[in-house]
Amino acid sequence: MSLANGRHYLAIPGPSVMPDSVLQAMHRPAPNIYTGELVEITHGLVPDLKMIAGTAGHVAMYISNGHGLWEASLTNMVSRGDKVLVCVTGNFGHGWADVATRLGLDVEILDFGKQAPVDPARLEAALRADTKHEIKAVMSVHVDTATSVRNDIAALRHAIDAAGHPAVFAVDCIASLGCDRFEMDAWGVDVMIAASQKGLMTPPGMGFVWFSDKALAEGKDADLRTPYWDWTTRAKPVHLYEYFDGTPPTQHIYGLRQAVDMILDEGLENVWKRHETLAGAYWAAIDQWCSDGALRFNIDTPAHRSHAVTTLSLGNGDGTRLREWLTDNLGITLGISLGFGEIGSDESHSYFRIGHMGHINAHMVLGIVGAIETAMSALDIPHGIGGSVAASSFLSQIGTQVSVTPSEAACSCCG
Ligand SMILES: *Cc1c(COP(=O)(O)O)cnc(C)c1O
């Protein structure tokens, strides 16, 4: 007998759970790419993607994962040898900085460790010190998917303004778009990137770079620009070919259309509120478990935590033991440790992550909470009792109060 049989639940921070209707929308023969439905659908995605990002600016679409977007954003913004300042709060900030270094940029890293958000005061000080305005771009992740920290992007914009610095401000929202509140124009973000496989609930393979008129103007002569990643034509295409610099990702476009419709039907405010509430249910359970034993949140302060992923440590390498037991015995896969200790070390094996982004609801969360509790008992991992009860009680109190009708839910930045 195996209790893991039945539908497997991949609860990692991307790829996230794909709605059946998204997969079904993709299950079709190759469509005509020159005229007809696919062309109309692609044109129609542009305003909706801008609405989800909270911008009246531009969006370029790519056949790409997130790593490609790191390169796409940089090659359109800056020139070889330019200086960029990267705020790092975990593995993903380092990843973007690494791409910048390999592109031949002069990279200054402001490292805030793995357990805290970017400190706006330190950013402001670093920018004030750059009296000659050599820094051309300030980069930060919104949510670092490795540490599960969520940065206050509006506060970083204030810091840049307080320093009177003209750098372009670029933000990686790959783990947060469609999960955590994000308002590109209202928060003064010039460039933003996100991929299809997280909050956008579509298989990996499409990526997006949103950019402001300022970023377009500043990057006009960027000499790192290469033909494929060039955002200029992609954002103002005449033919479908020009959106993707070649054959479009036909099936992905159908899937993304369905996923975006689901987000619009629910209402963006409701989507954010659902993520916040479900994260709250997890945290209520985890607070109980943490009251005894070695389990710890990586990010102590709830206000600094992502609503899409939670990073935890069990100590003693027990994170991996727990994950493997859950996969083998209960049909649930949680996220691995990323960026903590040497790969294979006890420290690394101590961490694990719960992905709670995209197409998830209360019974999925309650199922994982119960499953983690079961695993800790089965493995004799000491923990405080009452996690499931705490999550249920949290949801029973606020779970029914979160609905906003989509018409009221239009985000504040675009009315
Ligand atoms: C997932 C993720 C990436 C990398 O995306 P890939 O599609 O795996 O290349 C980059 N940044 C953040 C914040 C992410 O969550």
Side-chain angles (χ1 to χ4, degrees):
M1 181 197 76
S2 170
L3 300 177
N5 290 343
R7 181 180 280 221
H8 196 95
Y9 180 3
L10 185 70
I12 70 173
S16 64
V17 175
M18 306 295 153
D20 290 340
S21 61
V22 169
L23 299 177
Q24 282 151 11
M26 298 176 74
H27 193 91
R28 61 173 72 223
N32 188 348
I33 59 171
Y34 300 105
T35 55
E37 187 182 49
L38 188 73
V39 179
E40 295 314 311
I41 290 178
T42 308
H43 286 317
L45 278 170
V46 170
D48 291 339
L49 286 168
K50 289 189 203 175
M51 196 283 279
I52 291 173
T55 185
H58 313 273
V59 63
M61 298 189 271
Y62 298 89
I63 297 181
S64 174
N65 64 12
H67 281 65
L69 304 174
W70 281 340
E71 187 161 329
S73 52
L74 284 164
T75 52
N76 280 289
M77 287 193 296
V78 288
S79 294
R80 195 168 301 274
D82 274 356
K83 186 163 183 181
V84 296
L85 181 66
V86 190
C87 302
V88 174
T89 51
N91 227 43
F92 287 87
H94 281 300
W96 205 2
D98 187 47
V99 170
T101 304
R102 289 159 67 195
L103 283 168
L105 296 166
D106 175 7
V107 180
E108 180 180 343
I109 289 180
L110 281 184
D111 195 338
F112 298 88
K114 295 172 195 162
Q115 297 191 296
V118 175
D119 173 5
R122 246 182 88 193
L123 172 61
E124 184 183 332
L127 291 173
R128 281 189 192 279
D130 178 37
T131 48
K132 291 196 214 133
H133 292 169
E134 282 171 346
I135 295 168
K136 297 297 172 214
V138 173
M139 293 142 63
S140 175
V141 296
H142 183 204
V143 162
D144 196 294
T145 326
T147 57
S148 73
V149 75
R150 179 163 50 94
N151 289 306
D152 183 346
I153 297 302
L156 304 193
R157 172 82 257 173
H158 289 144
I160 298 169
D161 291 346
H165 202 289
V168 165
F169 183 30
V171 179
D172 172 345
C173 289
I174 296 175
S176 53
L177 195 79
C179 307
D180 276 292
R181 175 178 296 279
F182 178 81
E183 302 181 28
M184 180 164 169
D185 290 356
W187 294 359
V189 173
D190 296 305
V191 175
M192 188 273 279
I193 60 177
S196 53
Q197 77 271 22
K198 301 196 183 182
L200 295 178
M201 306 180 290
T202 304
M206 276 183 89
F208 315 93
V209 180
W210 290 258
F211 54 99
S212 64
D213 283 332
K214 173 182 168 173
L216 182 65
E218 294 282 325
K220 201 165 70 60
D221 302 316
D223 79 6
L224 276 177
R225 183 173 286 119
T226 53
Y228 185 75
W229 297 113
D230 190 347
W231 67 23
T232 330
T233 324
R234 283 174 187 262
K236 287 205 189 325
V238 179
H239 302 293
L240 195 57
Y241 249 66
E242 293 173 345
Y243 274 110
F244 296 98
D245 200 27
T247 308
T250 46
Q251 267 67 5
H252 272 73
I253 291 172
Y254 281 103
L256 182 67
R257 180 66 260 171
Q258 171 59 22
V260 167
D261 281 345
M262 290 171 71
I263 291 172
L264 300 185
D265 286 349
E266 184 176 357
L268 199 48
E269 290 282 346
N270 286 327
V271 171
W272 292 334
K273 193 71 194 168
R274 173 167 53 83
H275 281 84
E276 183 185 345
T277 306
L278 295 176
Y282 270 122
W283 302 345
I286 296 163
D287 279 335
Q288 286 308 116
W289 296 336
C290 288
S291 65
D292 193 6
L295 184 70
R296 293 290 172 267
F297 279 103
N298 186 52
I299 303 298
D300 270 341
T301 311
H304 297 158
R305 290 183 201 146
S306 153
H307 294 147
V309 51
T310 299
T311 303
L312 299 165
S313 168
L314 260 172
N316 304 318
D318 278 344
T320 298
R321 227 159 52 93
L322 180 97
R323 277 196 312 99
E324 289 176 350
W325 193 92
L326 282 169
T327 301
D328 295 345
N329 295 284
L330 299 190
I332 282 171
T333 298
L334 301 182
I336 59 168
S337 160
L338 266 187
F340 294 94
E342 295 287 309
I343 291 173
S345 67
D346 240 32
E347 185 190 355
S348 171
H349 284 306
S350 293
Y351 286 82
F352 66 102
R353 295 172 299 154
I354 307 171
H356 35 97
M357 52 176 57
H359 190 55
I360 58 157
N361 61 24
H363 69 68
M364 295 164 87
V365 171
L366 293 170
I368 300 255
V369 165
I372 293 176
E373 221 157 51
T374 306
M376 289 194 292
S377 297
L379 294 169
D380 284 326
I381 295 173
H383 62 282
I385 58 162
S388 288
V389 172
S392 308
S393 139
F394 178 87
L395 288 176
S396 67
Q397 282 163 41
I398 69 165
T400 55
Q401 298 168 20
V402 297
S403 201
V404 183
T405 62
S407 58
E408 293 167 43
C411 60
S412 56
C413 48
C414 37

